[in-house]
């Protein structure tokens, strides 16, 4: 069949390859319809081969339909060979590629495809024969010569490979890549003297190129000729004193000799160069951080912090650099400073949940509740399925007396807590507090009940739940049981003792209440609410003067409630 197009390849290949019209013996299309069908299937098959929408089964199906119409089409065989190669059917790929290569030995694309098929099966003897022919047919294409040299080296024909590079060098002069390829061959044969000679020739070809001296330095390091390596490094630094690669090499050089101070000085110089990849700097800083965590008594912390200071100065807006610096500051207990750099990191282009969570923890530790509320609200938008931002938003709004907002955030965040009983406990506990202060008492009680289902012995929940019931003067029998349990689990906690005494007071068990509140008032520094409660129970026991003493002590301890001031003015308890 005669077609008016070549195989589907890029534009250059399409120009270089020969049209199917050049091949004799193709059958004439039986009908115009067959030619149209062939063309349609072929074009669609080529489209299915394109990387962006690659569909190999579909391509194979379409090319198979083409083959039914014209089994001898060389462009079709070429596309079939490519398809079979991509799906790993190498024998079928070779069969079709071979037909193309034999049909037109001077078509480089056909030859290269067959070579690729042989290389895929590591049949280098076959691929080398074809490469040798390509070199003869296209003597001006150096890439074919270089590919042949590479394959010679793969099968151990180092002399043949070396000869090709020598010939290329005679034509084009000393060339970095050619020299490096020759060196690789020489090293494989352990010809180290010849390797050194090649490197020296390269270095002498351009004495102002520090990279060539660096190759020599690397070679001398491999050969344990450290003094010679140092000579090269010194020469490089004269040419390019801020060369980051050489400063890193000198860091390694001195480290290998145990000269840590000198090594660190060169590492700092490398960090000061903005041309050194920031990824390397961040990895190095994180290495120092991990070592500082494991060995806090070492100098890893101080040195890592110094590197990070350079890092954020040179790469001010690099989020990861600011993050690792913040990690160091936090590790050193510098929470205020760490919050600043976590914020810079969080404000960068990269959206990183870990950075935001660290920022929220820092805000919480610093009790910066305005910042915590603002940052947690932003984090809730950025990470809507993460529970921690909702938790911190609830905590912040609680402290800011926005109790309804706090309850809403905590309620919403509970949806995203799974398989973490401790976190769920924190949510329910704070939710109970938020609902209580928002005067939604039924929901507060339910939150505390849900918390106790998770941990029935949580003394914080037992005490707070009991205290809130006592303040409302509701369900006092339950409150007494909860508070008694808290005091049984934790002895001599003045807050828990005060709660129990106050519940007894509400139950009008004044004598028992007096004992608990008296003991609580004597523990630790004066505390206004405990002293006021103690005064209240003394008043109920007709000990008015003692009650006044305790109320005055409560006022001196910072008590400011209207109730306390009324008691002091009227010298009586106003129930």
């Amino acid at each position: 069949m005669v077609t008016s197009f070549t195989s589907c390849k890029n534009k250059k290949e399409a120009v270089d390859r020969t049209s199917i019209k050049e091949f004799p013996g193709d059958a004439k299309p039986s009908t115009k319809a067959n030619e149209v069908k062939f063309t349609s299937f072929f074009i669609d098959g080529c489209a299915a081969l394109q990387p962006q929408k690659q569909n190999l089964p579909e391509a194979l199906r379409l090319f198979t339909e083409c083959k039914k119409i014209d089994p001898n089409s060389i462009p079709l065989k070429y596309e079939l060979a490519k398809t079979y190669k991509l799906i790993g059917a190498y024998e079928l790929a070779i069969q079709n590629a071979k037909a193309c290569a034999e049909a037109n030995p001077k078509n480089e694309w056909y030859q290269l495809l067959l070579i690729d098929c042989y290389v895929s099966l590591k049949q280098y003897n076959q691929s080398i024969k074809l490469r040798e022919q390509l070199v003869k047919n296209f003597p001006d294409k150096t890439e074919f010569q270089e590919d042949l040299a590479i394959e010679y080296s793969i099968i151990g024909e180092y002399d043949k490979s070396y000869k090709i590079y020598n010939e290329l060098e005679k034509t084009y002069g000393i060339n970095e890549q050619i020299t490096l390829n020759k060196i690789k061959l020489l090293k494989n044969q352990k010809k180290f003297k010849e390797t050194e000679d090649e490197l020296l020739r390269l270095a002498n070809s351009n004495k102002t190129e520090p990279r060539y001296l660096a190759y020599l330095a690397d070679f001398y390091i491999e050969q344990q000729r450290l003094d010679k390596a140092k000579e090269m490094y010194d020469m490089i630094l004269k040419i390019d004193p801020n060369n980051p690669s050489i400063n890193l090499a000198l860091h390694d050089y001195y480290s290998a000799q145990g000269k840590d101070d000198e090594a660190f000085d060169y590492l700092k110089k490398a960090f000061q160069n903005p041309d050194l990849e920031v990824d390397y700097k961040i990895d190095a800083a994180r290495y120092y951080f991990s070592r500082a965590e494991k060995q806090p008594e070492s100098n890893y912390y101080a040195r890592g912090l110094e590197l990070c200071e350079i890092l954020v100065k040179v790469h001010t807006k690099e989020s990861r650099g600011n993050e690792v610096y913040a990690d160091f500051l936090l590790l050193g207990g510098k929470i205020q400073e760490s919050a600043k750099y976590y914020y810079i990191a969080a404000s960068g282009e990269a959206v990183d949940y870990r950075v935001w969570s660290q920022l929220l923890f820092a805000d919480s530790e610093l009790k910066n509740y305005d910042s915590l509320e603002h940052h947690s609200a932003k984090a809730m938008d950025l990470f809507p399925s993460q529970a921690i931002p909702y938790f911190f938003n609830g905590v912040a709004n609680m402290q800011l007396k926005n109790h309804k907002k706090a309850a809403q955030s905590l309620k919403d965040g509970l949806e995203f807590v799974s398989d973490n009983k401790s976190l769920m406990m924190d949510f329910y506990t704070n939710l109970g507090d938020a609902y209580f202060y928002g005067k939604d008492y039924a929901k507060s009680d339910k939150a505390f009940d849900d918390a106790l289902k998770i941990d029935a012995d949580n003394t914080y929940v037992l005490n707070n739940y009991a205290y809130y019931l006592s303040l409302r003067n509701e369900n006092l029998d339950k409150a007494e049981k909860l508070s008694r349990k808290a005091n049984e689990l934790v002895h001599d906690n003045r807050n828990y003792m005060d709660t129990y005494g106050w519940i007894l007071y509400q139950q009008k068990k004044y004598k028992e209440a007096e004992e608990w509140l008296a003991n609580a008032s004597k523990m630790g520094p004066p505390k206004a609410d405990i002293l006021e409660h103690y005064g209240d129970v003394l008043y109920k026991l007709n000990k008015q003067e003692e009650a006044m003493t305790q109320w005055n002590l409560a006022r001196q301890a910072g008590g400011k409630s209207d109730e306390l001031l009324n008691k002091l003015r009227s010298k009586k308890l106003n129930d």
Side-chain angles (χ1 to χ4, degrees), residues 77 80-86 88-99 113-114 117:
K77 290 179 185 291
L80 275 169
K82 288 198 302 183
T83 308
Y84 282 130
K85 180 176 175 290
L86 287 170
Y90 294 113
E91 294 301 333
L92 287 170
I94 288 173
Q95 179 182 325
N96 283 276
K98 200 171 182 180
L113 178 58
L114 182 55
C117 292

Side-chain angles (χ1 to χ4, degrees), residues 323-445:
E323 176 189 358
V324 71
Y325 186 32
D327 288 343
F328 265 101
L329 292 167
L330 187 61
L331 183 63
K334 299 175 182 178
I335 303 173
Q336 183 78 46
E337 292 179 62
S338 76
K340 171 185 173 182
Y341 287 95
Y342 280 131
Y343 180 72
I344 295 172
S347 302
E349 292 183 9
V351 179
D352 188 333
Y353 172 69
R354 191 252 176 197
V355 175
W356 278 95
S357 65
Q358 289 292 90
L359 173 61
L360 299 182
F361 278 110
D363 284 341
S364 177
E365 284 293 310
L366 293 166
K367 296 181 170 51
N368 288 340
Y369 295 115
D370 285 328
S371 295
L372 182 61
E373 195 280 330
H374 175 72
H375 293 152
S376 60
K378 176 70 173 175
M380 286 161 60
D381 289 336
L382 292 170
F383 312 101
S385 61
Q386 292 287 351
I388 292 296
Y390 293 90
F391 176 75
F392 278 121
N393 191 259
V395 169
N397 277 300
M398 275 288 292
Q399 295 298 324
L400 297 170
K401 311 299 183 186
N402 301 323
H403 300 122
K404 290 187 177 180
K405 283 182 69 176
Q408 188 62 52
S409 293
L410 291 163
K411 178 176 174 292
D412 292 344
L414 260 175
E415 178 184 346
F416 306 109
V417 182
S418 59
D419 301 325
N420 188 334
K421 290 185 178 181
S422 175
L423 181 59
M424 188 170 288
M425 191 76 187
D426 288 339
F427 263 90
Y428 280 127
T429 301
N430 282 275
L431 195 55
D433 291 344
Y435 279 134
F436 175 79
Y437 288 109
K439 303 187 185 305
D440 199 337
Y441 300 129
K443 289 182 179 178
S444 174
D445 291 351

Side-chain angles (χ1 to χ4, degrees), residues 329-563:
L329 292 167
L330 187 61
L331 183 63
K334 299 175 182 178
I335 303 173
Q336 183 78 46
E337 292 179 62
S338 76
K340 171 185 173 182
Y341 287 95
Y342 280 131
Y343 180 72
I344 295 172
S347 302
E349 292 183 9
V351 179
D352 188 333
Y353 172 69
R354 191 252 176 197
V355 175
W356 278 95
S357 65
Q358 289 292 90
L359 173 61
L360 299 182
F361 278 110
D363 284 341
S364 177
E365 284 293 310
L366 293 166
K367 296 181 170 51
N368 288 340
Y369 295 115
D370 285 328
S371 295
L372 182 61
E373 195 280 330
H374 175 72
H375 293 152
S376 60
K378 176 70 173 175
M380 286 161 60
D381 289 336
L382 292 170
F383 312 101
S385 61
Q386 292 287 351
I388 292 296
Y390 293 90
F391 176 75
F392 278 121
N393 191 259
V395 169
N397 277 300
M398 275 288 292
Q399 295 298 324
L400 297 170
K401 311 299 183 186
N402 301 323
H403 300 122
K404 290 187 177 180
K405 283 182 69 176
Q408 188 62 52
S409 293
L410 291 163
K411 178 176 174 292
D412 292 344
L414 260 175
E415 178 184 346
F416 306 109
V417 182
S418 59
D419 301 325
N420 188 334
K421 290 185 178 181
S422 175
L423 181 59
M424 188 170 288
M425 191 76 187
D426 288 339
F427 263 90
Y428 280 127
T429 301
N430 282 275
L431 195 55
D433 291 344
Y435 279 134
F436 175 79
Y437 288 109
K439 303 187 185 305
D440 199 337
Y441 300 129
K443 289 182 179 178
S444 174
D445 291 351
K446 184 178 184 309
F448 285 128
D449 284 330
D450 287 336
L452 291 174
K453 288 176 186 176
I454 298 170
D455 182 2
D457 294 333
N458 187 293
T459 55
Y460 177 87
V461 175
L462 289 167
N463 178 72
N464 275 28
Y465 192 6
Y467 187 60
Y468 292 156
L469 289 172
S470 73
L471 289 177
R472 290 151 46 194
N473 203 8
E474 294 179 7
N475 209 345
L476 294 177
D477 288 341
K478 181 175 183 177
E480 190 272 336
K481 288 178 184 177
L482 294 169
S483 182
R484 176 159 32 93
K485 186 174 182 179
N487 281 281
E488 288 170 352
L489 290 167
V490 177
H491 300 289
D492 299 327
N493 182 306
R494 67 190 303 201
N495 293 317
Y496 295 176
M497 292 167 66
D498 172 60
T499 297
Y500 193 62
W502 186 247
I503 293 167
L504 293 171
Y505 173 90
Q506 295 284 54
Q507 292 178 318
K508 304 186 187 314
K509 298 175 183 179
Y510 300 125
K511 196 64 186 168
E512 295 175 61
E514 179 190 17
E515 181 180 351
W516 281 85
L517 291 169
N519 288 332
S521 69
K522 295 171 186 174
M523 297 174 65
K527 193 173 181 186
D529 55 347
I530 295 177
L531 293 167
E532 185 178 354
H533 288 163
Y534 185 30
D536 290 356
V537 75
L538 288 170
Y539 189 90
K540 288 291 186 182
L541 292 170
N542 296 316
K543 299 178 181 181
Q544 284 85 357
E545 289 187 13
E546 293 178 51
M548 284 295 296
T549 298
Q550 297 304 317
W551 289 338
N552 274 305
L553 289 172
R555 182 74 180 88
Q556 292 169 22
K560 299 177 181 178
S561 69
D562 292 339
E563 292 86 352

Side-chain angles (χ1 to χ4, degrees), residues 162 183 186 190-199:
Y162 193 83
I183 287 166
L186 292 168
K190 302 190 185 306
K191 294 181 178 181
F192 300 120
K193 179 63 175 69
E194 291 87 341
T195 299
E196 183 180 10
D197 290 341
E198 287 290 345
L199 286 168

